[in-house]
Amino acid sequence: DAMVIQNPRYQVTQFGKPVTLSCSQTLNHNVMYWYQQKSSQAPKLLFHYYDKDFNNEADTPDNFQSRRPNTSFCFLDIRSPGLGDAAMYLCATSRDITATNEKLFFGSGTQLSVL
Amino acid sequence: GQQVMQIPQYQHVQEGEDFTTYCNSSTTLSNIQWYKQRPGGHPVFLIQLVKSGEVKKQKRLTFQFGEAKKNSSLHITATQTTDVGTYFCAGLFISNFGNEKLTFGTGTRLTIIP
């Protein structure tokens, strides 16, 4: 089945130790998003790729970076994780940008813990 | 920035009772989407509303978009244990620069008492 896959499901890292989260999709969607969701809060958009074009949200810390080497894969790099970065990180895709009324398909998320 | 507020934040209902969550925006929305997130799960798309005053139904779920396109509601009739989860609205805003952004509401967590 076509889907959005995130690995790993749980990730533990140390304070300040770089970590990379992975997302892949078999939907062949143009747009891939990274959201941060803390407990009992709404998903917060960090950035998105429209094809190869990177779009950063104004309030996303520089500590967060992303790479999209091809259509199928997208990575979230946290250069120096702090305790406040512990959260669920959700990858999502849409066929086109949301302006064209496209719905989001979410992966199962990676729960990041920072020790 | 644009904000989308939802009330209530939490709702506990007896199984079989109705449930409603309300979504409000300070500015006009282009459209609104609704997502359901089960405990420990990820958001799953439910529906999208585009037209002013639009009403859509999915079995026991009724979705409404306000006339001014600033508010929306989700009503569940005769709740079941499978309805447990957090319901998020997500509003699409058109900025002054012409770009668009989907902003999630604060969510309403529904728990069912069997």
Side-chain angles (χ1 to χ4, degrees), chain A residues 9 35 37 39-43 45 57 59 88 90 97-109, chain B residues 9-10 30-31 33 35 37 40-45 48 50 88 92 94 100-102 104-107 109:
Chain A
R9 183 72 176 88
Y35 284 86
Q37 186 177 29
S39 181
S40 301
Q41 295 185 19
L45 181 63
E57 292 299 301
D59 56 355
M88 173 72 82
L90 294 162
I97 56 174
T98 49
T100 55
N101 303 326
E102 295 291 338
K103 63 182 181 181
L104 300 177
F105 293 79
F106 283 88
S108 298
Chain B
Q9 186 176 5
Y10 301 96
S30 175
N31 66 44
Q33 300 178 0
Y35 290 80
Q37 185 172 22
H42 58 277
V44 175
F45 176 83
Q48 177 174 268
V50 179
F88 291 100
L92 186 67
I94 306 295
E100 299 78 18
K101 180 177 178 178
L102 190 69
F104 277 81
T106 46
R109 178 180 291 183

Side-chain angles (χ1 to χ4, degrees), chain A residues 44-99:
Chain A
K44 179 181 180 294
L45 181 63
L46 296 173
F47 26 57
H48 75 273
Y49 272 95
Y50 181 54
D51 196 12
K52 296 179 181 180
D53 294 333
F54 178 71
N55 297 272
N56 198 28
E57 292 299 301
D59 56 355
T60 298
D62 292 339
N63 197 27
F64 292 87
Q65 303 287 323
S66 186
R67 295 171 284 135
R68 190 180 185 185
N70 53 55
T71 301
S72 301
F73 287 87
C74 195
F75 301 97
L76 169 61
D77 300 308
I78 308 177
R79 294 193 294 190
S80 181
L83 298 179
D85 297 328
M88 173 72 82
Y89 289 88
L90 294 162
C91 174
T93 72
S94 63
R95 186 177 55 183
D96 209 324
I97 56 174
T98 49

